Amino acid sequence: AYIQNNFSTSIFEPAVFFSLIILFFLLFAAVKYRKTHKLVSFSISFFLLSMLPLSNFIRISGPKDMGFVCAERFLYIPSFALSIALAVLFGKIISSKNTKYLGYMLITILLCSYTGRTIYRNFDWKDTKTLFSKTIKLSPNSSLLNHIMGNELVKEENFDQALKYYNKALELNPYSYASYNNMGVIYFKNGEIEKAINKFDEALAIKPDYIQSYFNLGTLFEQIGLEKEAIEEFNKILKINKLYPKVHNSLGVIYAKKGHLEEA
């Protein structure tokens, strides 16, 4: 679901060098067979073009500090080209009397292997935690995956383990403001008010317009009786987004408690 690779820095790295050779071979074949084997030429062209938006040749698949990210889903559309290429190949094998049964055998092996792999993979999609437990083993140095695992553990109220994952996420990406915020929520639930405030402040230092941390701070101040400070935090949100309903509701509750019914 999420595979993180390091950036390549030299054309002579084996992965880069041999990939370029394969790319050149595919381009050559697409041009060479454009008239004599049109389906083969089309398949190659379709594969390369459908992969281009996800190739990071022009970077679009995430912030630079994430490295190069790839995933199974990137191949959903390009795999159409592979299916055509296999159909052409098996069609030729089956059309010959000498290799007809070999072709059927190969098709059966291929379909059984794909079916078995699909069934086996489906177990990883049992639920979010199972999926990301599997995924994080493949990409342990992904800040995003560690953050997501922290979120899943919070749902189970396994706060100690969640904090470990959030800390790991921050080690890998010190700008993960959402991890700071979620740690603040845990400390707030545990009654560690000072730590919670510090974490919310750290999140806002990275992203000054992060509404969730303002809201969490406002809620925290309200619950410990600092209504003036709570109103200040909630009003900061309204400067960013006047249409944030939870803030209007929270302000209404505070004003009602203070007896300012018209404002409430």
Side-chain angles (χ1 to χ4, degrees), residues 63-114:
K64 290 183 178 180
D65 58 6
M66 284 170 60
F68 170 64
V69 176
C70 58
E72 292 170 356
R73 62 186 177 278
F74 288 14
L75 286 174
Y76 288 169
I77 294 174
S79 67
F80 173 65
L82 176 62
S83 297
I84 293 177
L86 287 172
V88 172
L89 174 64
F90 285 129
K92 287 189 175 297
I93 295 174
I94 291 170
S95 63
S96 171
K97 290 183 179 181
N98 296 328
T99 56
K100 181 177 181 179
Y101 293 106
L102 173 64
Y104 284 128
M105 184 177 71
L106 291 174
I107 290 174
T108 302
I109 292 171
L110 182 70
L111 291 177
C112 287
S113 64
Y114 276 158

Side-chain angles (χ1 to χ4, degrees), residues 12-13 15 30 45 66 72 80 84 96 104 122 169 208 217 226-228 237-238:
F12 296 108
E13 290 181 26
S45 302
M66 284 170 60
E72 292 170 356
F80 173 65
I84 293 177
S96 171
Y104 284 128
N122 282 343
L217 271 173
L226 299 176
E227 292 176 347
K228 179 182 176 183
I237 295 175
L238 294 180

Side-chain angles (χ1 to χ4, degrees), residues 124-133 148-149 152 155:
D124 296 337
W125 286 83
K126 175 186 174 184
D127 52 45
T128 307
K129 185 181 178 184
T130 304
L131 174 63
F132 283 98
S133 294
I148 291 172
M149 280 299 295
E152 289 304 305
K155 293 177 186 177

Side-chain angles (χ1 to χ4, degrees), residues 23-264:
L23 181 61
F24 176 79
F25 172 77
L26 289 173
L27 289 170
F28 175 79
V31 174
K32 180 177 175 61
Y33 297 115
R34 70 187 187 281
K35 292 182 179 179
T36 56
H37 296 83
K38 291 182 178 180
L39 268 179
V40 173
S41 180
F42 171 79
S43 297
I44 294 171
S45 302
F46 186 92
F47 176 80
L48 295 176
L49 286 171
S50 58
M51 281 296 293
L52 187 61
L54 299 165
S55 66
N56 271 338
F57 183 74
I58 299 173
R59 183 156 188 84
I60 62 170
S61 68
K64 290 183 178 180
D65 58 6
M66 284 170 60
F68 170 64
V69 176
C70 58
E72 292 170 356
R73 62 186 177 278
F74 288 14
L75 286 174
Y76 288 169
I77 294 174
S79 67
F80 173 65
L82 176 62
S83 297
I84 293 177
L86 287 172
V88 172
L89 174 64
F90 285 129
K92 287 189 175 297
I93 295 174
I94 291 170
S95 63
S96 171
K97 290 183 179 181
N98 296 328
T99 56
K100 181 177 181 179
Y101 293 106
L102 173 64
Y104 284 128
M105 184 177 71
L106 291 174
I107 290 174
T108 302
I109 292 171
L110 182 70
L111 291 177
C112 287
S113 64
Y114 276 158
T115 302
R117 187 68 186 91
T118 300
I119 293 171
Y120 179 74
R121 177 62 170 156
N122 282 343
F123 289 111
D124 296 337
W125 286 83
K126 175 186 174 184
D127 52 45
T128 307
K129 185 181 178 184
T130 304
L131 174 63
F132 283 98
S133 294
K134 176 78 172 182
T135 307
I136 206 168
K137 289 178 181 178
L138 301 174
S139 301
N141 293 323
S142 165
S143 176
L144 176 63
L145 293 181
N146 280 278
H147 176 80
I148 291 172
M149 280 299 295
N151 293 348
E152 289 304 305
L153 289 162
V154 166
K155 293 177 186 177
E156 299 176 357
E157 298 189 356
N158 189 348
F159 297 135
D160 289 341
Q161 281 297 110
L163 285 172
K164 289 180 181 179
Y165 278 101
Y166 288 139
N167 277 316
K168 178 69 173 177
L170 287 166
E171 283 178 24
L172 297 165
N173 177 16
Y175 301 101
S176 179
Y177 54 87
S179 295
Y180 279 120
N181 176 76
N182 292 5
M183 291 176 76
V185 171
I186 291 174
Y187 288 131
F188 183 18
K189 287 182 178 180
N190 288 341
E192 299 178 79
I193 302 302
E194 197 65 40
K195 284 185 178 181
I197 293 172
N198 288 337
K199 293 302 176 184
F200 294 140
D201 285 340
E202 286 184 272
L204 291 168
I206 297 168
K207 188 172 174 60
D209 62 347
Y210 189 44
I211 287 176
Q212 193 58 51
S213 283
Y214 285 121
F215 186 79
N216 288 335
L217 271 173
T219 303
L220 183 152
F221 287 139
E222 179 191 356
Q223 291 193 13
I224 63 175
L226 299 176
E227 292 176 347
K228 179 182 176 183
E229 287 80 358
I231 292 172
E232 288 177 2
E233 297 301 326
F234 289 144
N235 281 327
K236 288 177 184 177
I237 295 175
L238 294 180
K239 291 178 181 178
I240 301 169
N241 180 6
K242 292 181 180 179
L243 302 178
Y244 196 71
K246 288 164 65 177
V247 174
H248 288 289
N249 185 72
S250 295
L251 283 168
V253 170
I254 293 175
Y255 289 138
K257 286 179 182 178
K258 294 168 73 70
H260 302 163
L261 301 185
E262 191 66 31
E263 286 182 84

